[in-house]
Amino acid sequence: MSPTLQLLLLLLLLLTLLASTALSHLPSSSVTTATSPSIYDWQSARATYYAASDPRDAVGGACGYGDLVKAGYGMATVGLSEPLFERGQICGACFELRCVDDMRWCIPGTSIIVTATNFCAPNYGFTADGGGHCNPPNKHLVLPIEAFEKIAIWKAGNMPVQYRRIKCRKEGGIRFTIDGSSIFISVLITNVAGVGDIVSVKIKGSRTGWLPMGRNWGQNWHVSADLKNQPLSFEVTSSDGLTVTSYNVAPKAWNFGQTFEGKQFP
């Protein structure tokens, strides 16, 4: 081996040793990944109640369920402020609530399970911390007094609570109530198990392919199509990505105003 080549190899070895030494003295670093809280973790909010002065107060709501008793929700329901309502997508989701912090009014060891059926609208005549309970960015829940009194004394008023999403448990299958006229089809979807809230719906007649439906409001979905005199099938996708397909749920002779039951989420 020539002296020149030997010198080059020696220089290369010295450079390698110097680089290795320098790297060994660099401070070690670690990467910390921030994790968002799961929707199933307990989170803080506040809750108030309303007292139904008339049986008709159980009818309506921003989710479009109509008569809450007939729809199977009863008084185990909740209205959500804007940061929680998600423009209606959250409709049908189930929550567990418990009273915290103010033990003068909390009923210890209790919690309730409610379904999101309504929207608590902001009141910009008040500040968010001065009476505008449902003003952004407040996370606020409004309960029927029948539900509120299962976790706290009614005198509590605006109560600190914790809430978390839970899986919905329902008897029977998903229900499809068909409304509309002529070629405008509106479908109200209720009694949804699993995560409870729906992100997309498709409908199919015996003479069509799968037609995407648009969200009208809450869990009312619509499509413009002539589907009369055809059995109807539905494909429903929930917010966790699961899809349930119910074939020929409505018979060929279906009519507006009827409700049909399909398959259910696990």
Side-chain angles (χ1 to χ4, degrees), residues 163-219:
Y163 71 95
R164 65 177 176 181
R165 288 279 297 271
I166 63 168
K167 292 293 183 71
C168 300
R169 298 179 182 273
K170 303 295 180 183
E171 294 184 5
I174 300 172
R175 296 183 191 131
F176 304 90
T177 301
I178 304 173
D179 211 336
S181 62
S182 185
I183 63 169
F184 180 82
I185 309 293
S186 175
V187 179
L188 171 63
I189 300 178
T190 59
N191 201 54
V192 180
V195 292
D197 56 331
I198 302 303
V199 295
S200 70
V201 180
K202 294 179 181 179
I203 189 171
K204 180 183 182 301
S206 59
R207 299 193 298 270
T208 73
W210 286 104
L211 306 173
M213 302 189 77
R215 188 191 301 274
N216 203 3
W217 79 91
Q219 291 302 349

Side-chain angles (χ1 to χ4, degrees), residues 82 155 219:
E82 190 172 311
K155 291 182 180 179
Q219 291 302 349

Side-chain angles (χ1 to χ4, degrees), residues 241-254:
L242 297 180
T243 297
V244 166
T245 304
S246 301
Y247 290 100
N248 301 322
V249 171
K252 179 179 179 179
W254 64 267

Side-chain angles (χ1 to χ4, degrees), residues 50 58 67-77 117 144:
Y50 67 92
D67 189 318
L68 294 176
V69 175
K70 287 184 179 179
Y73 299 110
M75 291 290 102
T77 60
T117 61

Side-chain angles (χ1 to χ4, degrees), residues 59-154:
V59 178
C63 291
Y65 291 130
D67 189 318
L68 294 176
V69 175
K70 287 184 179 179
Y73 299 110
M75 291 290 102
T77 60
V78 63
L80 303 174
S81 63
E82 190 172 311
L84 298 174
F85 190 64
E86 299 177 8
R87 298 185 177 182
Q89 181 183 305
I90 202 69
C91 291
C94 296
F95 294 85
E96 183 178 10
L97 274 68
R98 64 187 182 189
C99 181
V100 294
D101 297 340
D102 197 339
M103 293 301 110
R104 293 176 302 165
W105 310 117
C106 292
I107 300 175
T110 60
S111 68
I112 55 172
I113 295 173
V114 292
T115 302
T117 61
N118 209 347
F119 173 53
C120 180
N123 182 351
Y124 293 113
F126 297 92
T127 61
D129 57 357
H133 301 320
C134 291
N135 292 3
N138 292 347
K139 292 184 176 181
H140 197 87
L141 305 98
V142 181
L143 302 162
I145 192 169
E146 293 88 344
F148 187 91
E149 287 190 313
K150 292 181 179 180
I151 58 172
I153 307 301
W154 67 270

Side-chain angles (χ1 to χ4, degrees), residues 224-248:
S224 294
D226 184 5
L227 297 173
K228 290 293 289 182
N229 300 312
Q230 301 177 59
L232 302 180
S233 304
F234 294 93
E235 182 181 280
V236 177
T237 301
S238 55
S239 63
D240 59 354
L242 297 180
T243 297
V244 166
T245 304
S246 301
Y247 290 100
N248 301 322

